[in-house]
Amino acid sequence: MRLLEAAASHPDGAPAKQLAREAGVALPTAYHLLRTLAHEGYVRRERGVFLLAEAARRLGGGAAQQNRRSMINDALAHWRDALGVPVYFAVYREGEIEVVAIADTPTNPAVHEWADFRETGHAHAIGQCLLAQLDAEARRDHLDRHPVGYVTPYSVRDERTLLRRLAAVERTRPVVEHQEYALGTVCAAIPLTAGSTVAAMAVSLPAHQAERLLPAIGQLQVEVGKLLKTLGFSISI
């Protein structure tokens, strides 16, 4: 690992002697380890110097992804406690709706996924918010694979009605649904804008507390905007 750290500090590569010295490893040991690392794809040798190879870069990418996930989980937990509601983060990736993280408590539980979120995007606020951000071709592809269908007595019944609703969604306003996915539950979602990523955050409440929904999602929208501007919050999971 010390040899990998030393190699990582030299983008243009460094000879074995220099890496051994910086890592505090005897030169014969360094040569043996570097040969092993090269065989496993962690370093490569070019013109007498060693550079990081693809396997090592995957390690770094995994650590960066873990850091982003940790940041998202911490942020969701903060907003859950501040708002007193479950908070959700979701993305649209490779043609599917993916709920990446949820922060809730025993007293304020998240919506039970009784029907697959990926297949029922037309019925919940997260799905509607994500679908509204897609272009017409991507939306058509999604609905061909996951047709509009009965979920609850309150959910949209046909594709034409859904498409009209999605076309009317405004980027600055939350998407709200009342008992369309789960009876007794209301939800609201807001889009996240960061590069090409299609993402959304949402909150849910029991239907008898519906009056709290818009104030909660409005506060979340303000706080998320601050975080995106001031902390460089990454949603590229």
Side-chain angles (χ1 to χ4, degrees), residues 88 117 185 193 203:
Y88 309 75
F117 283 145
T185 302
T193 302
V203 300

Side-chain angles (χ1 to χ4, degrees), residues 31-215:
Y31 273 122
H32 172 71
L33 293 175
L34 287 168
R35 282 195 297 269
T36 302
L37 289 169
H39 177 73
E40 297 295 337
Y42 289 95
V43 299
R44 69 181 191 276
R45 189 174 186 178
E46 293 183 1
R47 298 183 299 277
V49 299
F50 289 89
L51 305 95
L52 289 186
E54 184 58 32
R57 299 188 189 284
R58 287 198 298 269
L59 284 177
Q65 183 182 62
Q66 186 60 40
N67 287 338
R68 289 194 294 268
R69 285 186 179 274
S70 178
M71 180 182 291
I72 288 173
N73 287 332
D74 290 346
L76 262 62
H78 166 75
W79 291 322
R80 172 202 64 201
D81 296 340
L83 301 175
V85 297
V87 182
Y88 309 75
F89 171 67
V91 297
Y92 193 83
R93 178 163 43 211
E94 298 179 356
E96 298 294 348
I97 293 166
E98 180 181 344
V99 179
V100 175
I102 300 174
D104 64 350
T105 65
T107 54
N108 292 299
V111 177
H112 172 60
E113 188 179 356
W114 72 275
D116 194 326
F117 283 145
R118 294 170 300 179
E119 298 178 3
T120 56
H122 64 281
H124 50 73
I126 286 174
Q128 292 174 26
C129 188
L130 293 173
L131 292 174
Q133 297 178 62
L134 302 179
D135 60 33
E137 182 179 354
R139 193 180 299 157
R140 173 77 273 149
D141 173 73
H142 182 91
L143 293 176
D144 285 345
R145 290 181 291 108
H146 303 298
V148 175
Y150 178 90
V151 181
T152 78
Y154 300 94
S155 54
V156 64
R157 284 293 192 276
D158 59 82
E159 185 177 298
R160 181 178 298 179
T161 302
L162 174 67
L163 291 174
R164 283 201 303 267
R165 179 187 293 189
L166 296 178
V169 171
E170 299 179 26
R171 290 286 300 174
T172 58
R173 297 183 65 83
V175 175
V176 178
E177 61 92 354
H178 293 264
Q179 304 188 82
E180 294 179 40
Y181 173 79
L183 294 177
T185 302
V186 296
C187 300
I190 53 173
L192 293 186
T193 302
S196 60
T197 303
V198 175
M201 296 192 73
V203 300
S204 65
L205 281 163
H208 68 272
Q209 297 181 27
E211 72 281 356
R212 295 178 54 205
L213 188 64
L214 288 180

